[in-house]
Amino acid sequence: MTYRIQKADITFNPPIYYCKKASKPFTLDGDIDKVFWNDAEYTSDFVDIEGDIRGKPRCLTRAKMLWDDNNLYFAAELWGDEIWAHVKERDAVIFQDNDFEIFIDPDSDTHHYYEFEINALNTVWDLFLTKPYRDHGIPLNGWDIKGLRSAVKINGALNDPTADNKRWTLEVVMPFEALKEANTYKKRPEKGDYWRINFSRVQWQVDVMDGKYVKKMHPITGESLPEDNWVWSPTGVVNMHYPELWGFVFFCEDKEGYPIPDHEYVKWELRQLYYAQHGHFNEKGCFTADLKKLLQGRKLGLDICIEVTKSNFEMYCLTQDGSQEIAILGDGKIIIR
C-alpha cells in the first residue's frame, strides 16, 4: 500500500556541525579558499539522500558555515567535471539544472522553514514553506530573504565540456534579521543555540552532444533519467522535506561542543507514532487512541497521551526529567510547552 505520508525508515542519527564565529573580514566572491574560511571546518562528505542503501556519490560535495552578530555564512564546494547551468530567472525551478540547496528550520518544529537553491550561474530561488508538502504545506515563492547575497566561482568553464573542469564553489550570506520570521523565539541565535539545517546537491546525468551537455534520456519513456540527490543529512526517502532528519547546527564562539538535547530524541519517538497514525488512517479510515496499535510490538519508555478526532490527532508526553511537555499534531508540527 502506498501511503500519503511515507515513513522515513532510517535510524535517527543526524550529523552535528559546530558553527564558529567569524573572526576575519569577509569579501563575497565565491572563493572559499580565502582566509575568512580558515577557521571553519567542512561538514562530512555528502551521501545519497536515501542513506547507506545507496552507493557513495560519484562526486565530492561538502559545505562550511560561520556566523557573526548579523549574518549566517555558507560555503560549499561541488567537485566534478560537468559544470553547466541554464536557468537565469530568479525564483524559477533551479533544480532543473545541477544545483546546491540549503534548508533551514530555526526552531526544530518541522514547520515554517526556508529553502534556498543556487546554480552555477548564481541564479537563486528562495522560498518559505508553511510546512512540509506531505502535510499539505504551501510554498511561498514570492517570499525573499531580504539582504541575501551570493556568489559563485568556477574552476573551469561554464557549459564547456572541453574545458579542464574541476569544481564550482559558492558563498551565500543570509542576514539573521530575515530569518527571524520562522523562528518561534523571534531572535537571532546565541552561543549554544542550534538550528536544524540540511544541504542538497542535485546532479543530473548527462551526455555530451554537439559540444554541449545534454541530460541523459530513458530509451523507452524518452524522459530524462532521475537526478542524483546528495545530501549532508540523509532522510531515507527521496524527499528533502523531512525536517525531523536534518542536521544539527550549534552556534559556537570557538571550539565548544554540544550534544543533541534529550528532548530531540523524544520528538523522534513521537514522529514514529505520527508515521504510524497516518498509516493507520490509510488502512482503517481513522486515527486511533490505542497506543499498542501504533507501536506494533515496539517498546517505548515514554508515557504517551493520545487524543483523536475524526480528522486529527494530538500525541504528547513529558520529557524524562519532567521539565517539558512535547506534543506532535496531526499535521506533524512539534510543540514544546
Side-chain angles (χ1 to χ4, degrees):
M1 177 178 293
T2 300
Y3 294 152
R4 179 180 65 82
I5 295 179
Q6 185 177 0
K7 178 182 178 182
D9 192 13
I10 192 170
T11 301
F12 183 72
N13 188 30
I16 300 174
Y17 186 88
Y18 298 111
C19 185
K20 299 176 184 177
K21 265 214 163 173
S23 61
K24 300 175 178 66
F26 177 74
T27 301
L28 178 70
D29 56 12
D31 181 6
I32 69 171
D33 296 321
K34 55 178 174 271
V35 173
F36 176 80
W37 289 107
N38 285 353
D39 294 335
E41 297 181 1
Y42 278 108
T43 62
S44 53
D45 297 350
F46 287 18
V47 298
D48 190 272
I49 192 170
E50 293 186 87
D52 293 338
I53 66 172
R54 301 296 179 193
K56 182 180 179 180
R58 64 182 184 276
C59 300
L60 172 67
T61 315
R62 53 187 184 173
K64 289 185 173 187
M65 285 167 274
L66 287 170
W67 69 298
D68 60 25
D69 292 339
N70 298 310
N71 301 306
L72 182 54
Y73 300 88
F74 298 95
E77 60 175 359
L78 296 82
W79 288 88
D81 60 359
E82 299 164 356
I83 304 175
W84 59 271
H86 303 297
V87 178
K88 297 180 179 180
E89 180 184 355
R90 180 171 178 144
D91 290 342
V93 183
I94 303 295
F95 63 76
Q96 292 301 320
D97 290 344
N98 293 339
D99 79 353
F100 184 81
E101 303 176 3
I102 303 171
F103 297 81
I104 305 174
D105 178 7
D107 52 16
S108 191
D109 68 351
T110 74
H111 281 209
H112 304 115
Y113 58 88
Y114 312 110
E115 178 178 352
F116 170 87
E117 303 186 8
I118 185 171
N119 66 8
L121 278 167
N122 195 27
T123 307
V124 304
W125 181 16
D126 49 355
L127 61 158
F128 181 88
L129 280 297
T130 59
K131 50 187 171 181
Y133 294 108
R134 67 187 180 196
D135 299 306
H136 304 293
I138 299 172
L140 304 180
N141 290 322
W143 177 87
D144 291 331
I145 301 173
K146 188 176 180 180
L148 172 76
R149 294 184 290 152
S150 63
V152 167
K153 180 180 179 180
I154 296 173
N155 294 120
L158 184 67
N159 297 326
D160 184 358
T162 67
D164 184 21
N165 296 321
K166 300 295 186 184
R167 63 171 185 168
W168 60 286
T169 60
L170 60 95
E171 294 178 307
V172 178
V173 184
M174 296 186 185
F176 285 125
E177 190 65 28
L179 302 178
K180 287 166 59 176
E181 189 171 9
N183 191 336
T184 299
Y185 309 107
K186 303 299 181 187
K187 69 180 184 68
R188 302 176 187 188
E190 300 174 357
K191 175 183 173 181
D193 289 346
Y194 66 90
W195 286 8
R196 304 297 298 277
I197 291 178
N198 209 353
F199 303 109
S200 171
R201 175 181 181 177
V202 170
Q203 189 79 11
W204 296 89
Q205 299 182 51
V206 296
D207 291 316
V208 176
M209 299 177 61
D210 299 325
K212 298 179 180 179
Y213 294 113
V214 179
K215 289 180 182 177
K216 287 186 177 182
M217 299 294 177
H218 192 283
I220 297 177
T221 66
E223 301 290 334
S224 56
L225 294 179
E227 76 281 8
D228 289 309
N229 295 275
W230 303 326
V231 305
W232 177 44
S233 184
T235 61
V237 296
V238 186
N239 188 337
M240 284 299 294
H241 297 272
Y242 274 61
E244 62 267 28
L245 286 160
W246 296 352
F248 287 83
V249 174
F250 286 90
F251 294 92
C252 307
E253 294 285 352
D254 187 19
K255 297 181 180 180
E256 301 93 349
Y258 302 95
I260 296 174
D262 290 342
H263 65 257
E264 289 292 344
Y265 294 95
V266 176
K267 290 181 184 180
W268 180 245
E269 293 296 344
L270 289 171
R271 183 66 57 179
Q272 305 310 297
L273 301 179
Y274 154 91
Y275 296 142
Q277 279 282 20
H278 284 284
H280 188 277
F281 192 92
N282 272 76
E283 294 179 354
K284 306 296 184 181
C286 63
F287 297 117
T288 179
D290 188 341
L291 182 60
K292 290 183 179 179
K293 290 182 179 179
L294 300 178
L295 289 174
Q296 297 180 340
R298 265 193 334 119
K299 293 184 178 180
L300 189 63
L302 298 169
D303 187 11
I304 305 291
C305 297
I306 303 176
E307 298 176 4
V308 300
T309 67
K310 290 183 179 180
S311 60
N312 209 345
F313 64 81
E314 178 176 337
M315 300 181 289
Y316 54 93
C317 67
L318 293 175
T319 54
Q320 294 285 3
D321 62 4
S323 62
Q324 294 175 312
E325 183 179 83
I326 301 179
I328 191 166
L329 308 183
D331 66 356
K333 182 177 177 64
I334 291 286
I335 297 175
I336 299 179
R337 54 201 177 200

